[in-house]
Amino acid sequence: RGSPYHRHCFVCRDCATPLTGLPFHQADDHRLYCPRCFAAPQCARCHANCAPADLVTWTNGRCYHPECFSCAYCNAGLFRRSKITEQLHGMGQMAPTAMNAEGEPCCVPCEERERVYDCISCRDPIPKGQHAGVRGEGPFCVKCAAIKRGLHCERCKQLIQEFKWAKDAQERTYHERCFVCSNCRQPLLQSKYYNQPEGLLCPPCYAETCDRCGTCDEPVTEDGGAWGDLVF
């Protein structure tokens, strides 16, 4: 207060009402408001005042303009307008919406991706996107999930600590890195393989172990084989 203003600048920041000769308020950012606009709720996103008829009130009491009510991560709009929703809800309807740790609205996919969990076993924070459930329980961190599952790799006999692992047709489990041909080390995930006494073999290596046809000298292989699966 006490600062000089141009007459055309001495107006309410929101409604542009001239403030000469009228009571007014000066906000912390030095902007001027008439009493009516100063008392109006402010949008939590753009910080401008929200008119009562054009206002989205969030769960934690924060207010937003409909166009400002968007996901804090991907900026997708979370408020839907249509003739039907305006008839049913007054002006529109919220999309399925979640809230992040800072109290900001966000879409459900982003909230699930960004959420930070604590492992229910060791209580340590779990890095984003690395939580796991085991037999309906969780969330677990990588180490505790591995202990809970108790799966060991058929090849190296070590505990499988990754979130993804492979299994063969006999339901035996492997690390992804261990699910390879025993001879040439070719990865076998999503590939045909043969389960032999010497281990898993890819089709070319399996053919080398087979007898040769007396006429064409081609390998005499058994029909069949199996396909490796990746488990999540």
Side-chain angles (χ1 to χ4, degrees), residues 67-78:
E67 61 272 16
C68 293
F69 191 65
S70 58
C71 176
Y73 301 109
C74 69
N75 209 36
L78 298 174

Side-chain angles (χ1 to χ4, degrees), residues 181 183 193-194 196 198 200-213 217-222:
C181 175
N183 185 40
Y193 70 91
Y194 293 85
Q196 297 297 298
E198 58 269 35
L200 306 179
L201 296 177
C202 64
C205 290
Y206 171 69
E208 293 178 2
T209 67
C210 297
D211 295 329
R212 298 281 173 169
C213 173
D217 199 39
E218 291 296 321
V220 179
T221 61
E222 297 179 1

Side-chain angles (χ1 to χ4, degrees), residues 21-59:
L22 299 176
F24 66 91
H25 298 272
Q26 188 174 38
D28 292 339
D29 57 5
H30 304 294
R31 293 175 177 175
L32 305 178
Y33 296 89
C34 68
R36 182 178 63 84
C37 290
F38 187 75
Q42 285 192 334
C43 175
R45 181 64 55 84
C46 72
H47 304 296
N49 288 347
C50 298
D54 195 28
L55 174 69
V56 178
T57 302
W58 183 224
T59 305

